Amino acid sequence: MKNYLNQLDQTTRTFLKNIGREADRSKLRVYLVGGPVRDILFNKKNLDLDIVIEGDAIEFARHLAKSLKANVKIYREFGTATLLFPHRHVDLVTARREDYPHRGALPVVMPGTLRDDLGRRDFTINAMAIALNQGNLGMLIDPFAGQEDLKAKKIRVLHDQSFADDPTRLLRAVRFEQRLGFHVEPKTLGLWKMAMKQKFYHNVKPPRYFAEFKKILGEKIPLKPLKRLYQLKGLAFFKIALNPDWKALENVQASMNQTNGKGLRVQPGLIYLIALLGNVSDASKEKISQRFQLTREERTSLLQSTKALKALQCISQKSCSPSRVYRLLGGFSLATILFLRGKTSSRSARQRISRFLTQDQHVKLNINGTQLKLLGFASSRRMGQALEEVLYQKIDGRIKNDRQELMAAQQLLKRRGNKNGAFRKG
Ligand code: CTP
């Protein structure tokens, strides 16, 4: 019998073996399931470990947490638990059977066997398990011929009702197809198209459907599934005609790939959402934000993009100084700014935006109101404005040290003071 765990690194293998050993002691059957099994067979790295137990997952998770010295998070309402190790999380769930009371409804869940659990899943390639108990450690359990589909690069549903049971699978089919370089096999594609035609996606609460869409936006190369969805009219759930600017989206993707790992903390999918909805009216953006219950950051970034595109026109001009860029970009979210950087075809605009992100947005003055008050200037709005002006001069490189900062501020205050009436104390 082939041990499919042999393809994993030593640490993960030992770790899974230990889980199996503990399950033997507790007289439970335990399996690695779903995504990680697919990725083992497809030779792809996947750090998520999803484990199914024929028995009480929560009780077993508590036991494991003790013996493997991990923290554990229990989700009683879902019957699941997550073991938290310093470098990985492991999800444990009781094998379950699901009944869907009506289309798109959340399923009624009951404990079941591994076979039940695999039978309720989305696609054959995601419906395989690897046994972890010692007696059959590493054995593949593949009741729906997932391995064959994996070899043939096919996305196939387990039964004809799959998209009706869970319409979010319409998005998942395209996500896996494009991520893995597979194709949705003809019968499944037929069911897919029928489900779209009948608008099955209306049977799912919009925020839940959108959460699945966000997974597409969060893919490493989201443009592939986005284009495929567009081609298949799979973006109809937005309920508005979308006319994406693909060139802008491509630029955004290229610039994001360069940015990856450079320490910019941004929800990557958000940039693609802004780019996707770039041509849409503000009223529609507002509606979309409400219907899908977008977060405040998402809504703000989306609504900012119209104003931001106007700012981009100024930033693209030769005469745009670094301090002008600072003022233009200052109020926008990081996602909006990265979107602009991706969107522009002007190299110098891109360089100006990068300079703002890496350098100018962090510039601070070394002086503040306290020094100016010691020199006899009264605290006022004008003082704030003068300090701001000095900051702009510093950003433009016209001020090099603390003494120059103080001199520039004094000059500005005196000038303004003379013009607007003296406001020097005493
Ligand atoms: N699943 C399903 N139907 C859904 C969501 C999930 O059948 N609507 C099942 C699939 O078997 C899937 C598993 O639950 O493999 C875990 O779901 P998820 O974490 O979303 O998918 P992964 O396959 O792990 O994908 P990824 O690699 O993107 O994490």
Side-chain angles (χ1 to χ4, degrees), residues 143-162:
F144 303 100
Q147 195 178 20
E148 208 175 288
D149 282 339
L150 204 63
K151 279 190 189 135
K153 303 195 167 192
K154 286 179 182 167
I155 305 289
R156 185 197 304 276
V157 283
L158 269 51
H159 54 84
D160 291 3
Q161 288 307 304
S162 188

Side-chain angles (χ1 to χ4, degrees), residues 62 160-161 196 278 314 333 352 384 387 398:
R62 284 217 174 95
D160 291 3
Q161 288 307 304
M196 279 308 294
C314 295
S333 72
R352 284 182 198 122
L387 285 169
R398 287 190 275 140

Side-chain angles (χ1 to χ4, degrees), residues 35 38 121-122 126 166 168-169 172 175 179 215:
R38 174 198 70 220
R121 288 172 186 260
D122 49 5
N126 287 342
D166 181 354
T168 65
R169 291 174 178 167
R172 293 175 65 82
R175 179 158 70 88
R179 183 207 284 176
K215 289 194 192 166

Side-chain angles (χ1 to χ4, degrees), residues 201 230 235-244 276-281 283-288 291-292:
Y201 48 83
Y230 181 72
L235 295 172
F237 69 91
F238 274 105
K239 293 216 267 189
I240 48 163
L242 288 182
N243 186 15
L276 186 70
L277 301 178
N279 307 329
V280 163
S281 73
S284 296
K285 284 178 186 164
E286 191 62 78
K287 265 192 207 151
I288 287 169
R291 192 148 54 89
F292 298 119

Side-chain angles (χ1 to χ4, degrees), residues 33-39 45-46 48-50 91 96 98 100 117-128 158 162 166-170 172 175-176 179-180 208 212 215 219:
V33 288
V37 177
R38 174 198 70 220
D39 291 339
K45 210 175 161 89
N46 183 343
D48 293 337
L49 293 178
D50 292 332
D91 290 324
R96 61 197 204 186
E98 285 180 353
Y100 291 84
D117 198 278
L118 295 178
R120 69 175 179 86
R121 288 172 186 260
D122 49 5
F123 310 114
T124 57
I125 59 164
N126 287 342
M128 294 181 275
L158 269 51
S162 188
D166 181 354
T168 65
R169 291 174 178 167
L170 291 165
R172 293 175 65 82
R175 179 158 70 88
F176 288 118
R179 183 207 284 176
L180 301 171
R208 189 174 150 229
E212 194 60 54
K215 289 194 192 166
E219 285 284 301

